[in-house]
Amino acid sequence: MLTMFVSMLQAQNYDADCREMLKMAKDTYLKKGSQAAQRQFDLLCQACSQRICSEAKAWLREQKNKSRNNNTSSSVITIRVNGVDFKMVKVEGGTFSMGATPEQGSIFGSTYSVTLSDYYIGETEVTQELWEAVMGNNPSYFKGNNQRPVENVSWNDCKEFIEKLNQLTGKSFRLPTEAEWEYAARGGKYCKKYAYKYSGSNNVGEVAWYKGNSGGKTHSVKTKKANKLGLYDMSGNVLEWCYDRFSGYRGYSRTNLNESSSSEYRVLRGGGWYGEMTISDYVGGAPLSTH
């Protein structure tokens, strides 16, 4: 029926009917996607005038570009500060079991349910290049390659770094909470389907620089396999500071967990280049987070 209608239009060249076909194709795009709309446009362009044909093609091209740009901008954001770029990856909120889950092989410990809202977290650990761009110095012990993660920094050093970063960018970065960090390291929304012992693999050597392969030093970020969210070095390389003060896990559900504790200790997660990557070192997290 559609082919016959197009053939009639071709013979009579009714612009009004062509525009109605264009409207139908647009409706198809919204309901069934670009491939179905493309098929309708192919039929449409056999019959309509050159002007309307060009309009149809331009419209579809615009929709595809918008869709591609929206997908990129919503999942990964690139930020520049003093000439240095870094990326923040979106973590879609959800509910997960935090703590010693079965795939880690733990015979002790507990788990509890945590529900988180959407947030963004750094694609990598903060590099020495980024730290120096913000702070004007490099406190790291392992130097010679500014793509190594910054180390030899305290929780208060990180707090000062983030405050300056916020001033330079006008944004609201912070350290991730321990729950945000662990959820991202597990793979976020993919953690139920892909339950790994380490962040992105059951093979520690695929995803982590640790005592067994580091050669006694840190390494450039993004030189190991990423996890399902596209986050690198979430296991190994360097330990990471979290926002929370230390407190023991308690076996009940929480929402947007942000532990309040009187402890003088802050949370560190993620085994480093010098560690054995035991269960307690399960995963490390990127030290930048924002909602």
Side-chain angles (χ1 to χ4, degrees):
M1 179 63 185
L2 180 61
T3 304
M4 184 183 298
F5 183 47
V6 170
S7 298
M8 290 172 61
L9 288 174
Q10 190 169 20
Q12 300 179 43
N13 196 24
Y14 287 157
D15 276 6
D17 288 335
C18 266
R19 289 199 175 280
E20 181 61 27
M21 287 291 291
L22 175 58
K23 180 179 181 299
M24 290 170 58
K26 288 181 178 181
D27 290 342
T28 299
Y29 177 87
L30 295 175
K31 293 177 182 178
K32 298 183 179 180
S34 61
Q35 289 186 345
Q38 184 68 63
R39 287 193 293 271
Q40 279 202 303
F41 279 143
D42 290 343
L43 292 171
L44 171 67
C45 291
Q46 296 174 22
C48 67
S49 66
Q50 181 62 38
R51 178 170 55 82
I52 300 177
C53 181
S54 298
E55 181 182 334
K57 290 178 179 178
W59 183 87
L60 181 60
R61 187 164 54 249
E62 181 185 3
Q63 303 314 304
K64 288 181 177 179
N65 287 339
K66 282 182 179 178
S67 176
R68 185 160 49 247
N69 291 338
N70 286 341
N71 287 340
T72 300
S73 63
S74 63
S75 60
V76 180
I77 297 174
T78 300
I79 298 163
R80 170 162 287 204
V81 56
N82 287 339
V84 175
D85 291 339
F86 64 97
K87 294 180 180 180
M88 301 293 291
V89 176
K90 184 175 183 179
V91 183
E92 295 181 18
T95 300
F96 77 109
S97 294
M98 183 173 175
T101 48
E103 71 275 7
Q104 295 175 46
S106 177
I107 59 174
F108 59 89
S110 61
T111 63
Y112 54 97
S113 177
V114 177
T115 300
L116 298 172
S117 303
D118 293 357
Y119 59 99
Y120 284 83
I121 197 163
E123 179 192 42
T124 70
E125 299 157 328
V126 170
T127 63
Q128 295 178 25
E129 178 185 44
L130 178 57
W131 186 278
E132 192 161 3
V134 174
M135 301 295 286
N137 62 66
N138 183 358
S140 302
Y141 177 79
F142 297 105
K143 296 182 181 178
N145 181 345
N146 65 10
Q147 292 307 302
R148 283 175 166 169
V150 69
E151 23 83 11
N152 199 27
V153 291
S154 68
W155 189 93
N156 285 325
D157 290 335
C158 293
K159 182 174 180 289
E160 183 182 356
F161 165 81
I162 290 174
E163 288 172 350
K164 289 189 176 181
L165 180 63
N166 288 340
Q167 291 172 5
L168 290 168
T169 62
K171 299 186 181 297
S172 300
F173 295 103
R174 58 172 172 77
L175 289 169
T177 66
E178 186 179 10
E180 288 171 338
W181 168 84
E182 184 170 319
Y183 182 58
R186 288 177 180 273
K189 65 181 181 180
Y190 303 106
C191 67
K192 293 180 181 178
K193 185 176 181 180
Y194 302 97
Y196 295 118
K197 184 174 182 179
Y198 305 100
S199 181
S201 177
N202 289 320
N203 180 347
V204 63
E206 286 187 341
V207 294
W209 292 110
Y210 71 111
K211 186 176 181 179
N213 64 5
S214 70
K217 60 185 178 181
T218 62
H219 291 261
S220 297
V221 299
K222 297 179 70 170
T223 51
K224 287 293 184 179
K225 178 182 173 183
N227 75 0
K228 290 295 181 182
L229 290 178
L231 303 176
Y232 295 86
D233 297 297
M234 299 292 277
S235 296
N237 219 359
V238 295
L239 284 161
E240 299 293 347
W241 289 109
C242 293
Y243 182 84
D244 310 57
R245 294 181 184 275
F246 175 79
S247 64
Y249 287 178
R250 302 182 183 92
Y252 54 87
S253 299
R254 293 152 186 265
T255 301
N256 286 332
L257 178 68
N258 185 357
E259 287 283 6
S260 59
S261 168
S262 58
S263 173
E264 62 181 302
Y265 300 107
R266 295 284 181 173
V267 174
L268 273 168
R269 294 292 302 269
W273 56 271
Y274 53 85
E276 295 285 359
M277 288 304 297
T278 61
I279 290 168
S280 62
D281 292 326
Y282 167 53
V283 280
L288 284 180
S289 181
T290 183
H291 281 284

